[in-house]
Amino acid sequence: MRTVTVVGASLSGLYAARELRAQGFDGRLVIVGDEPHHPYDRPPLSKDFLTGRADEDRLALTDAEDAGALDAEWLLGVRAGALDPRARAVVLADGRTVTCDGVVIATGASARRLPGPAPAGVHTLRTLDDARALRAELTRGARRVVVIGGGFIGAETASSCVALGHRVTVVEAAPLPLLPQLGAELATVCAALHRRGGADLITGTGVGALRGTAAVTGVKLTDGRVLDADVVVVGIGAAPNTAWLTGSTLALRDGVLCDDGCATALPQVVAVGDVARVGGIRAEHWTSATEQPRAAVANLLAGRTTHHARSLPYFWSDQYGSRVQFAGRRLDGDTVRIVEGGLDDGAPGADGLLAVCERDGRTTAVLSVDRPRPFTRMRRELARQDDETERERREGQAAALSVPHRRATL
């Protein structure tokens, strides 16, 4: 390969570029990014950056030395418009074309929005520009803030708004926030963090409409209630950025469909990060964005899948002064057991909490609230078990393929 183009200049795109150089690619490296900014760290946007404890210089993921080592051409502030497999080219929205031998798709995801026009005061929080606008709004005195969505971004944003002295209400359509990820028992623990932290939590009802014309004044819920609001933050998930790939012959279904090694159906095209559905799963977590590029780049340079990107699911979230960590593969029906700490009126006690999910006598997942050391030990053990299970599965597949088929005889 003489030219490789990385489409996406965020975390996974940067890690892919680093892996290309680390794995010996010394050709032309082009990095395309739709934002005008060089790669920056997104997790602090809803936390330290929003509260003013961190400025933009602390978000940067690259410096002059790193940029020099990459020796890349940065095309920032321009979107990718199309992928042309026949011409082996990435077509940019401004009409330019980058011809290349290999492509890493790392275009990430965009925040989902409520349908219809949004008055002033309604925000999403996905990009640095989003965070700039919301931070400026929150400095204008005490505000009534409604956060729509109780997932990670919603919970972290609500926590930051409470810390800034605003009156905060979180609206979650599901019976509990984080219910699909954690299950009812553990989701109840996280719901209690909102109430203990000083935010009102409304669950089991959705948003019917926004009130206000020039500026938002309230949120009407589907149960008829109206919440007064000066600021509304919409945190209802993200959609993978795949529109530019329409017509490329790539398989698209809530992301770019890849095998276990991030390889797509097109030769010399791999996908990583929030946009990639790897082995049937699309994981919007920092860990996936940093771990997938190693296998993806190895397979891109090899021209076939030689490495696999499967890893134990892991995420963390900072809310109301507590760090929540979760790792593993929980399934409905797992038994939950508290192994350290305890609950105080439904919320983790002062000494935190460590709980495990178990199935058939085996630990499947672990949740920690302010118990980082024992959590790290259990996460490592879960990862070891997961690797063993995956190795046994692959060995079984290989053995099945090696068994000769005998012709049936009468």
Side-chain angles (χ1 to χ4, degrees):
M1 291 187 178
R2 296 183 177 181
T3 300
V4 173
T5 299
V6 177
V7 187
S10 192
L11 184 68
S12 59
L14 174 63
Y15 270 68
R18 287 174 174 169
E19 283 294 334
L20 281 161
R21 293 309 191 203
Q23 296 187 33
F25 176 71
D26 59 1
R28 181 189 179 206
L29 175 57
V30 181
I31 303 175
V32 178
D34 62 345
E35 295 184 60
H37 317 293
H38 277 79
Y40 57 88
D41 204 15
R42 294 186 190 273
L45 294 181
S46 58
K47 300 186 278 283
D48 287 353
F49 181 79
L50 199 60
T51 58
R53 292 194 299 267
D55 291 326
E56 292 184 21
D57 57 348
R58 291 179 56 187
L59 302 178
L61 292 173
T62 59
D63 55 23
E65 182 179 353
D66 189 31
L70 285 178
D71 187 25
E73 298 175 34
W74 295 86
L75 304 180
L76 300 177
V78 58
R79 292 181 179 274
L83 177 65
D84 187 342
R86 291 186 178 180
R88 301 175 73 89
V90 174
V91 181
L92 305 183
D94 62 7
R96 286 180 289 174
T97 298
V98 182
T99 303
C100 45
D101 307 297
V103 175
V104 179
I105 299 171
T107 42
S110 297
R112 298 184 187 276
R113 301 176 184 273
L114 296 176
V122 178
H123 299 262
T124 56
L125 185 52
R126 182 80 184 182
T127 68
L128 176 56
D129 291 338
D130 291 340
R132 285 172 172 172
L134 180 57
R135 188 163 85 161
E137 185 103 41
L138 295 174
T139 61
R140 300 172 189 167
R143 311 293 251 173
R144 297 166 298 179
V145 180
V146 174
V147 178
I148 302 172
F152 304 114
I153 292 297
E156 292 170 359
T157 302
S159 172
S160 295
C161 290
V162 169
L164 290 169
H166 303 297
R167 178 183 169 186
V168 180
T169 302
V170 179
V171 178
E172 169 57 52
L176 289 166
L178 301 173
L179 184 59
Q181 296 88 348
L182 302 180
E185 291 182 73
L186 297 181
T188 299
V189 174
C190 289
L193 291 176
H194 288 284
R195 300 187 178 97
R196 188 181 71 181
D200 293 326
L201 175 63
I202 298 175
T203 60
T205 185
V207 172
L210 298 175
R211 293 287 181 89
T213 51
V216 70
T217 60
V219 177
K220 183 178 180 180
L221 305 182
T222 51
D223 63 8
R225 284 179 288 177
V226 176
L227 307 176
D228 294 333
D230 306 302
V231 178
V232 173
V233 182
V234 180
I236 54 175
N241 293 324
T242 58
W244 69 284
L245 295 167
T246 302
S248 67
T249 72
L250 282 177
L252 307 175
R253 188 168 65 247
D254 186 36
V256 179
L257 268 62
C258 308
D259 65 11
D260 287 346
C262 302
T264 73
L266 286 176
Q268 284 74 52
V269 178
V270 296
V272 294
D274 293 356
V275 74
R277 179 167 287 278
V278 180
I281 298 172
R282 189 171 69 86
E284 296 181 16
H285 300 307
W286 190 93
T287 307
S288 300
T290 57
E291 291 181 349
Q292 289 174 356
R294 179 172 298 177
V297 166
N299 296 332
L300 178 69
L301 297 178
R304 59 191 179 90
T305 299
T306 60
H307 291 67
H308 299 276
R310 176 187 168 96
S311 61
L312 186 75
Y314 165 66
F315 64 79
W316 80 91
S317 178
D318 295 322
Q319 306 173 21
Y320 306 103
S322 292
R323 168 151 289 199
V324 180
Q325 295 172 283
F326 183 85
R329 305 179 190 278
R330 184 202 68 83
L331 294 175
D332 290 342
D334 286 359
T335 300
V336 175
R337 180 169 61 91
I338 296 176
V339 294
E340 291 187 19
L343 298 175
D344 182 6
D345 195 23
D351 57 348
L353 175 77
L354 188 73
V356 296
C357 300
E358 297 174 327
R359 183 170 58 251
D360 298 329
R362 188 173 185 176
T363 299
T364 59
V366 56
L367 172 77
S368 164
V369 180
D370 297 328
R371 288 267 178 163
R373 290 185 178 180
F375 172 84
T376 299
R377 290 195 299 269
M378 296 200 70
R379 179 189 172 198
R380 287 173 179 164
E381 178 60 23
L382 279 172
R384 186 189 63 78
Q385 294 177 9
D386 198 56
D387 289 342
E388 289 180 357
T389 301
E390 180 64 11
R391 183 166 55 251
E392 291 170 359
R393 185 183 73 85
R394 295 190 187 282
E395 289 174 352
Q397 287 180 335
L401 291 173
S402 67
V403 174
H405 295 282
R406 296 184 178 182
R407 184 182 300 275
T409 58
L410 296 177

